[in-house]
């Protein structure tokens, strides 16, 4: 494809994303994205919400109710958008994501950030699709719809994963017990919700095209059909434990530490996924998905092989202990128990 430059575009071309839409603006990650977009300014942001939703959005965000089962409703809502950011629960049916993507293609949305906020599905090693939304199949679907994609690789959400308990990072806070994967020294990239929000806002603020053939600044077009690598910290489980102890004042004697082979834990998670109990199966998927990031020599440490985009997006350095303190706040508030209770209730209704 012949390179396109801003200097060659017709009069009135602004060379920036003005109009963008978000699916999932009121969700856990979506709230941080909206907050950062409002801080950066310069965008007309439309939040697509489900018909009948009572969720409130901050001033400056246009709320457009849609029927996600009606493609025409989605196409109408996406007309004139330059960027679509999709943030939906990984438990959502795959056809929902497909319907949104196909509608975006019919609405001529040129760029889509799909619902893949985690591992490197673009350049990472091929692996089982434990969570079907996170797969390369979805990227081909976007291309087939006539749009391009940018996948934000942020790996594991730090505060969320730490606060969720033993299935995720191996921390049982009630018992003050930590299960290390192997020796607990394998480092993986993790990203905070705030940093994810800043990264998406930073991407949306890039120039669409280089000004000319000599312009080497990062652009939206330069990231077309590529991965956007961002990270807050490169940490091992032992690093997390040391941060927790600094924040809480706990001593080594306060914690019981044991180890489990990462491959054995992975296969234990796979076995749980076959359970007839839906919640057990979901916990198994979480266990297997998380521990495989800690496989020695695996894809969890992507900054070892790929250049992070933190600097080009203007992302700040963060305080590890500050974010660990936020995770502790979530633990103290019973965050994980509330999510498990809500998930169980949703499964009962289906």
């Amino acid at each position: 494809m012949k390179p396109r430059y801003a200097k060659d575009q017709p009069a009135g071309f602004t060379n920036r994303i003005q109009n963008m839409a978000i699916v999932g603006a009121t969700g856990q990650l979506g709230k941080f994205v909206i907050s950062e977009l409002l801080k950066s300014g310069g965008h007309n942001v439309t939040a697509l919400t489900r018909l009948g939703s009572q969720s409130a959005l901050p001033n400056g965000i246009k709320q457009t109710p849609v029927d996600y089962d009606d493609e025409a409703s989605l196409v109408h809502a996406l007309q004139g958008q330059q960027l679509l950011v999709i943030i939906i629960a990984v438990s959502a049916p795959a056809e929902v994501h497909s319907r949104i993507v196909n509608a975006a293609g019919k609405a001529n949305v040129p760029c889509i950030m799909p619902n893949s906020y985690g591992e490197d599905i673009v350049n990472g090693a091929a692996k089982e699709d434990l969570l079907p939304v996170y797969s390369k199949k979805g990227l081909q679907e976007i291309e087939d719809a006539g749009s391009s994609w940018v996948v934000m690789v942020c790996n594991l959400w730090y505060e969320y994963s730490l606060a969720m308990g033993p299935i995720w990072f191996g921390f049982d806070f009630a018992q003050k017990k930590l299960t290390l994967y192997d020796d607990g020294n394998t480092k993986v990239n993790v990203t905070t919700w705030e940093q994810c929000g800043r990264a998406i806002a930073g991407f949306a603020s890039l120039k669409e095209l280089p000004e000319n053939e000599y312009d080497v600044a990062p652009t939206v077009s330069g990231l077309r059909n590529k991965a956007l690598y961002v990270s807050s910290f490169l940490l091992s489980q032992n690093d997390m434990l040391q941060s927790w102890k600094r924040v809480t004042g706990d001593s080594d004697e306060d914690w019981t530490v044991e180890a489990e082979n990462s491959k054995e834990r992975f296969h234990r998670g796979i076995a749980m996924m076959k359970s007839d109990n839906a919640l057990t199966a979901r916990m198994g998927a979480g266990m297997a998905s998380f521990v495989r990031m800690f496989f020695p020599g695996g894809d969890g440490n992507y900054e070892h092989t790929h250049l992070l985009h933190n600097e080009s997006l203007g992302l700040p350095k963060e305080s590890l202990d500050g974010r660990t303190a936020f995770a502790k706040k979530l633990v103290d508030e019973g965050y994980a128990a509330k999510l498990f209770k809500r998930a169980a209730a949703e499964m009962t209704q289906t």
Side-chain angles (χ1 to χ4, degrees):
M1 181 182 295
K2 183 180 178 181
R4 297 174 62 223
Y5 301 110
K7 68 180 181 66
D8 300 323
Q9 302 310 303
F13 179 72
T14 59
N15 203 23
R16 63 185 180 89
I17 291 176
Q18 293 178 293
N19 303 316
M20 60 181 294
I22 299 182
V23 174
T26 60
Q28 184 60 76
L29 176 57
K31 290 184 290 188
F32 288 93
V33 175
I34 289 296
S35 175
E36 295 301 326
L37 284 169
L38 288 174
K39 290 178 186 177
S40 64
H43 305 287
N44 300 315
V45 182
T46 298
L48 273 60
T49 57
R50 196 173 293 277
L51 287 174
S53 172
Q54 301 300 312
S55 299
L57 286 163
N59 293 332
I61 304 298
K62 177 184 177 182
Q63 185 168 347
T64 301
V66 297
D67 180 356
Y68 285 103
D69 294 323
D70 180 8
E71 187 179 79
S73 173
L74 289 165
V75 173
H76 178 74
L78 292 171
Q79 294 287 348
Q81 303 297 335
Q82 297 165 276
L83 171 65
L84 169 62
V85 177
I86 305 174
I87 310 173
I88 57 178
V90 295
S91 58
E95 57 265 24
V96 174
H97 194 277
S98 298
R99 198 175 299 123
I100 295 169
V101 165
N102 290 330
K106 291 182 179 180
N108 296 315
V109 178
C111 185
I112 298 174
M113 184 171 284
N115 194 52
S116 182
Y117 305 97
E119 64 186 272
D120 185 2
I121 66 169
V122 180
N123 299 306
K127 53 180 73 75
E128 302 94 335
D129 291 331
L130 303 183
L131 300 172
V133 175
Y134 294 77
S135 72
K136 286 190 176 182
K137 299 175 185 176
L139 304 184
Q140 186 59 54
E141 189 173 53
I142 292 172
E143 294 180 34
D144 291 344
S147 300
S148 63
W149 50 264
V150 174
V151 169
M152 191 174 82
V153 179
C154 57
N155 222 13
L156 310 172
W157 294 337
Y158 179 60
E159 320 98 310
Y160 165 85
S161 304
L162 187 59
M164 284 299 289
I167 292 291
W168 278 251
F169 280 161
F171 285 79
D172 184 336
F173 296 105
Q175 302 297 323
K176 290 198 173 182
K177 178 181 175 182
L178 170 60
T179 300
L180 297 176
Y181 310 148
D182 302 317
D183 62 4
N185 289 322
T186 298
K187 292 182 181 291
V188 301
N189 287 101
V190 296
T191 311
T192 66
W193 283 320
E194 288 182 341
Q195 196 79 314
C196 288
R198 286 188 286 258
I200 293 175
F203 171 74
S205 299
L206 295 176
K207 293 185 293 186
E208 277 201 82
L209 302 171
E211 297 294 339
N212 51 49
E213 58 268 37
Y214 305 108
D215 185 359
V216 295
T219 60
V220 172
S221 64
L223 287 164
R224 178 180 180 272
N225 294 349
K226 294 180 181 178
L228 184 71
Y229 293 99
V230 299
S231 177
S232 295
F233 313 110
L234 181 66
L235 300 174
S236 68
Q237 288 175 287
N238 283 318
D239 293 331
M240 298 175 199
L241 177 60
Q242 293 306 313
S243 178
W244 182 269
K245 288 191 290 188
R246 288 193 298 270
V247 167
T248 63
D250 287 352
S251 65
D252 291 342
E253 290 73 25
D254 293 323
W255 280 81
T256 299
V257 179
E258 58 183 32
E260 181 177 7
N261 180 275
S262 59
K263 296 293 179 67
E264 291 178 2
R265 185 178 177 90
F266 174 78
H267 290 295
R268 189 155 64 88
I270 295 294
M272 288 172 62
M273 290 176 63
K274 300 175 182 178
S275 171
D276 292 333
N277 183 288
L279 187 57
T280 298
R282 184 181 293 188
M283 293 301 100
M287 177 186 287
S289 297
F290 271 67
V291 75
R292 75 179 178 188
M293 290 295 99
F294 288 87
F295 285 173
D299 296 327
N301 178 0
Y302 50 76
E303 72 176 69
H304 178 69
T305 52
H306 301 286
L307 181 67
L308 293 181
H309 291 92
N310 286 31
E311 185 176 351
S312 61
L313 297 175
L315 303 185
K317 299 281 187 181
E318 295 174 281
S319 164
L320 171 58
D321 289 355
R323 301 321 298 166
T324 299
F326 181 74
K328 181 181 182 302
K329 179 175 181 290
L330 294 178
V331 172
D332 293 342
E333 294 172 349
Y335 177 79
K338 293 175 185 176
L339 286 191
F340 290 144
K341 183 177 180 180
R342 186 172 70 189
E346 291 173 350
M347 290 175 184
T348 302
Q349 295 171 1
T350 57

